[in-house]
Structure formats: C-alpha cells, structure tokens
Amino acid sequence: MQYSAWFQCINEECRQKYPTNSIVYKCRTCGSLLEVQHDIEALRGRDSKAWMKLFEERYKSTQWPYGSGVWGKKEWILPQLSDDNIVSLYEGGSNLFWAERFGKMLGLSNLWVKLCGNSHSGSFKDLGMTVLVSNVKQMISEGAPIKAVACASTGDTSAALAVYCAAAGIQSIVLLPKGKISVAQLVQPIANGALVLSLDTDFDGCMKVVREITEDETIYLANSMNSIRIEGQKTVGIEVIQQFDWDCPDVFIIPGGNLGNVTALGNGLLMMHDLGLISRLPRIVVAQAQNANPLYRSYLKNFESFEPMVARKTLANAIQIGNPVSIEKAIRTLKLFKGIVLDATEEELADAAALGDTTGMFNCPHTGVALAALIKLLKSGQIDKSEHVVVISTAHGLKFTDFKVKYHEETLDFPSRFANKPIELPPRVDAVKEALETALKKRRTTLNA
Ligand SMILES: *Cc1c(COP(=O)(O)O)cnc(C)c1O
Ligand SMILES: [Zn+2]
C-alpha cells in the first residue's frame, strides 16, 4: 500500500494542496496556514489491531530509525520520506510516570505525568524538529537551494533546531530575544554551532524578522507556522495511549504558547480515532501564564473573538507569546475535545512547580502552569477526582535552574510558599546535630500535614 501526505490550506473555501517537499509555509492562494493531511483511506488498509502491533514491535527497539517514538509511526508522520534522509536522535519514548504522592495531595488517584523534557535537547520540541530537519535533508538531496534553517525562539525551539541541524550537517540560524531566555537555553544553540542572533526585542519581534528573512528560499523557516513539525509532535498523545496499553485517559493538560503543541496533541488523537485505535476522545485543557493569556481571554468569550496582546514577562518564558501563530487550529481542536482553558499567575505556577518537586518531580515553569491549572480544576469541580488525568510536562527542569534557585532563595517578586533554603552552619558536629533536630521535627510536621 502506498501511503502519502501533503500540505493543505486550512481555509475551508480554499483547501489548496502542496507537496511536502515544497518550500511553502502559508497558502499561496489565500495566505492561510497550511496543515499536513494524510491519505486516511490508504491508512485504513491496515486495521487498528495491526497498527497497534506494528507500533509495539518498533517501540524503543534498536531497529533504526523505527525505535524512535516518532519514526516508529512513520506512516502516520511523513510516509514519503526516504529512510536515508531521516535525522533522528532517538526522540520520543519518554517516561510516563504515576505521580502518586502529588495526586494524593490533591485527592486524585490516577494522575500521570508525561515527561517530554527527558529528551535529547530537553524539551518536546525534538519530536517536531526531527521531522522538519529530515524533510529539509530530503529537499536538499533533491536539489532544493536551502543553505540554512532559521527560527525565532523563546529558547527550546532553537535548542532543538541547532542540535538536529548539527547532527545533519546543515547550518542553523536562531533569533533570540535578548535577555529573555535562560542560560541553559542560550548555551545549547551556541554549543551546537548555530549562528546565534540576539535581538533587543521579545519573541513576537524576533518572529517578525525571521518571517522576512525566510522569504528568500535559501533560508528555510523552522517556526511552528511551518506545519511539518506538528506531524512529529502529534505522536505525544499516541505514545501516551500506547504506554497505557491503548487505554485512553479522560483528560490531558498541556501548557500553551504558540499553540502548535495542543494542535498536534489533538491531531494525533483524531487520527487514532479515525483509524479505530481509540473509540472516544479525551478532554483537552490548555494552561497559560496569566501574563500571556490571549487564548484564555478568547475562551472566556466562547472563542467568539480573539485579540492578540503584548505578552508580559513570565517565568514560563517558552509560553510568553501574545500573538500565537496556531490560534485558529488550536480553537478548532479545543472545540472538538470539550476544551477548557485556564491561566495561572506567576505565584501559582511557581508554587505548583515547587510543590510537585517536593513529591519527586523536577518541574520546569511551564509544567508548573499545567499543575496550577490542575489544582484549580479540581477545586472548581471541572475535573472529578476519579478521572484519569495526564499532565504533559514540556521541558526538563534542569533547563530552568535560575528559576528554581530564585524561588528557593526567595528572591522572586512574591513569597515562595515551599522555599527550601540551605542552612548555613559552622563545621561542628554539635551545631549540625542541633540544627538537624529542629529541622527534622519541623519537616515531620509538614510532611504529615
Ligand atoms: C514551546 C514550548 C511550549 C509551548 O508550546 P506551543 O506549541 O508554543 O504552545 C511549552 N513549554 C515548553 C517548555 C516549550 O518549549
Ligand atoms: Zn488557501
């Protein structure tokens, strides 16, 4: 059976198609965003049980490139790609763990966290970037005039782009908002040989510039306006369900900025539904930082209107986005998945991340936003305590050590409820013993509280 995928305009009145090896980011006829469509009839040629079996056989195997969580599902991602052009760093296959203690604190017995940050560059962006860079490699091999691949980034996209381009031997260019990303996020593209351009603006400002420089076909655009990344990112929900032996959870909670990831999550689940691997759709919750909450504001108006905003500074810097590229797609997704949108203040996201850490997590601030949303939804009764809930953790906490250090040093703009400060002592046994006695007593009372 011959499987195929193509770009298609999302505008219902246009629906123009383009091959996946063409350099196109928006519809040339009407200017709308594109999305990748698959020949679903061809995919139906294999029944749901056979797809499950194939995915299970490949999952985390050493059968290159099919052991990758993304390429193990190649037929659903980018079937025409030649295996020789796949640039894979064994992405996907990340840990999905039962957050037993944190769940119990909230009265929830079936809470799970999908650790997408346990990945090559430390965030879920790897899932999409492997597909984008592989597609670029294929286009170059076919003679496309691409000299470099560029993106504007709040940190994690550039880290993923730089590392996949380095693995492929393709030049990357990253435009970063000066002083707005963490040291770890800045050092990744530097180490991986990207041309790093630090601009005195915010993410939305960098985005404007990169859109213009990529009008020239020799510089290929890697931002999520380019819908090819969605194809890799959509494996996240599919993989979670595979990890639950094909049982679909009740709720997914995901932090959202540019809103590509929620669209991807939804697309993967819809494909599973279309092909009979799941029989019902879960609910999707998008969590935003209050300082960058344009989707939440639109949700409050039943998505009847949308107003971009100037995003204010947030600790969750990867979602500090006021004018999300994938807004239309995300709203479409939320309408299909009984969607809920919530926001979290800086204090709420930081406390939720820290509280989670005390139960054995190591949360990035974006995951903190998702956990804060979960806490609110349980309080308001919008999520029932009996439900099976999955939180998508988007990056590794070690990328955000400055945030954690400041929280525990209590130097943020608000009180840190769960700060854990080192106790400074003279190097004497009696002083240490005395300090331990008091501290352990205090710890026991808080642990039992
Ligand atoms: C990119 C990113 C997000 C937001 O994803 P969108 O697709 O832009 O909504 C959330 N968390 C982290 C850590 C990210 O890197
Ligand atoms: Zn169009």
Side-chain angles (χ1 to χ4, degrees):
M1 188 44 109
Q2 203 58 42
Y3 302 116
S4 69
W6 56 90
F7 287 124
Q8 191 155 6
C9 174
I10 65 168
N11 177 354
E12 293 297 339
E13 270 125 56
C14 175
R15 304 300 279 162
Q16 177 82 35
K17 293 181 182 181
Y18 305 88
T20 54
N21 61 354
S22 45
I23 303 177
V24 57
Y25 318 111
K26 283 196 161 188
C27 180
R28 291 184 192 130
T29 311
C30 75
S32 298
L33 285 184
L34 305 175
E35 64 190 344
V36 175
Q37 288 286 344
H38 289 262
D39 181 350
I40 291 287
E41 284 317 310
L43 292 166
R44 275 194 230 284
R46 206 188 282 245
D47 70 23
S48 57
K49 286 277 174 294
W51 282 119
M52 292 177 194
K53 186 162 172 287
L54 179 71
F55 294 164
E56 282 170 5
E57 279 165 6
R58 290 169 173 175
Y59 190 62
K60 292 192 164 193
S61 71
T62 51
Q63 186 200 344
W64 193 93
Y66 299 101
S68 147
V70 172
W71 298 109
K73 300 176 172 68
K74 186 184 170 197
E75 295 82 355
W76 290 27
I77 309 296
L78 205 54
Q80 301 100 311
L81 200 70
S82 140
D83 283 3
D84 297 340
N85 289 322
I86 289 181
V87 185
S88 172
L89 297 166
Y90 207 69
E91 47 291 315
S94 59
N95 185 10
L96 171 67
F97 75 93
W98 180 33
E100 183 184 4
R101 258 191 77 213
F102 189 72
K104 272 196 185 133
M105 277 180 179
L106 311 178
L108 195 64
S109 60
N110 209 357
L111 173 64
W112 296 73
V113 178
K114 176 68 169 164
L115 278 182
C116 298
N118 285 17
S119 168
H120 198 80
S121 80
S123 86
F124 77 82
K125 298 294 198 296
D126 290 354
L127 300 174
M129 212 50 89
T130 181
V131 180
L132 183 136
V133 174
S134 300
N135 196 39
V136 169
K137 193 173 170 197
Q138 173 126 339
M139 288 189 282
I140 292 174
S141 77
E142 293 164 355
I146 300 169
K147 285 196 291 218
V149 186
C151 74
S153 175
T154 51
D156 294 324
T157 301
S158 49
L161 176 66
V163 81
Y164 279 91
C165 280
I170 297 169
Q171 183 61 53
S172 60
I173 301 170
V174 307
L175 283 75
L176 303 174
K178 190 173 168 188
K180 293 192 176 68
I181 66 168
S182 76
V183 174
Q185 288 172 317
L186 178 63
V187 83
Q188 285 181 288
I190 289 179
N192 289 129
L195 280 168
V196 179
L197 312 178
S198 179
L199 307 190
D200 197 4
T201 176
D202 58 3
F203 170 79
D204 296 305
C206 290
M207 194 62 226
K208 263 189 213 131
V209 176
V210 84
R211 280 164 84 153
E212 299 218 1
I213 63 169
T214 53
E215 300 250 304
D216 172 353
E217 290 210 336
T218 63
I219 303 178
Y220 187 76
L221 176 68
N223 277 99
S224 62
M225 185 200 303
N226 185 331
S227 57
I228 204 91
R229 281 170 49 201
I230 302 274
E231 293 313 287
Q233 287 174 206
K234 83 183 182 198
T235 57
V236 66
I238 307 173
E239 188 170 290
V240 164
I241 291 171
Q242 181 175 349
Q243 285 171 303
F244 286 131
D245 294 324
W246 308 105
D247 182 33
C248 184
D250 298 310
V251 185
F252 280 91
I253 304 180
I254 187 167
N258 237 340
L259 307 175
N261 211 23
V262 59
T263 307
L265 171 66
N267 285 1
L269 298 171
L270 287 174
M271 209 156 165
M272 292 184 91
H273 193 255
D274 277 356
L275 294 168
L277 282 77
I278 51 174
S279 55
R280 65 183 175 93
L281 294 178
R283 186 155 214 189
I284 295 182
V285 177
V286 175
Q288 294 208 296
Q290 195 175 77
N291 285 349
N293 62 353
L295 181 70
Y296 177 63
R297 293 174 188 209
S298 171
Y299 169 75
L300 293 180
K301 291 182 278 182
N302 285 318
F303 298 129
E304 273 154 24
S305 63
F306 173 78
E307 306 269 337
M309 63 184 279
V310 176
R312 281 166 287 143
K313 194 168 170 52
T314 167
L315 293 161
N317 63 37
I319 55 176
Q320 188 178 326
I321 293 170
N323 191 11
V325 167
S326 298
I327 183 71
E328 285 171 59
K329 293 181 185 177
I331 290 176
R332 194 177 62 184
T333 303
L334 288 169
K335 286 180 176 166
L336 290 170
F337 288 85
K338 294 176 287 175
I340 300 178
V341 186
L342 273 157
D343 69 356
T345 64
E346 295 300 287
E347 187 168 349
E348 285 168 340
L349 76 88
D351 280 338
L355 183 62
D357 287 359
T358 67
T359 68
M361 302 181 192
F362 196 71
N363 294 308
C364 74
H366 320 86
T367 307
V369 173
L371 295 176
L374 170 64
I375 293 170
K376 291 185 183 186
L377 289 167
L378 284 164
K379 266 197 193 131
S380 68
Q382 282 168 287
I383 290 185
D384 188 82
K385 292 186 172 160
S386 64
E387 286 187 282
H388 180 188
V389 180
V390 176
V391 169
I392 307 285
S393 171
T394 46
H396 201 294
L398 282 175
K399 281 195 166 201
F400 300 89
T401 43
D402 22 359
F403 152 68
K404 285 192 187 292
V405 168
K406 283 186 188 145
Y407 182 88
H408 290 288
E409 280 177 346
E410 306 188 81
T411 53
L412 294 170
D413 302 338
F414 46 82
S416 309
R417 264 174 76 198
F418 308 105
N420 181 23
K421 268 196 176 159
I423 307 168
E424 288 183 21
L425 290 170
R428 287 195 334 261
V429 174
D430 62 327
V432 170
K433 279 191 171 167
E434 198 188 308
L436 282 180
E437 204 175 317
T438 342
L440 286 174
K441 216 180 275 165
K442 215 164 103 194
R443 282 293 163 99
R444 264 196 303 275
T445 36
T446 34
L447 272 180
N448 293 335

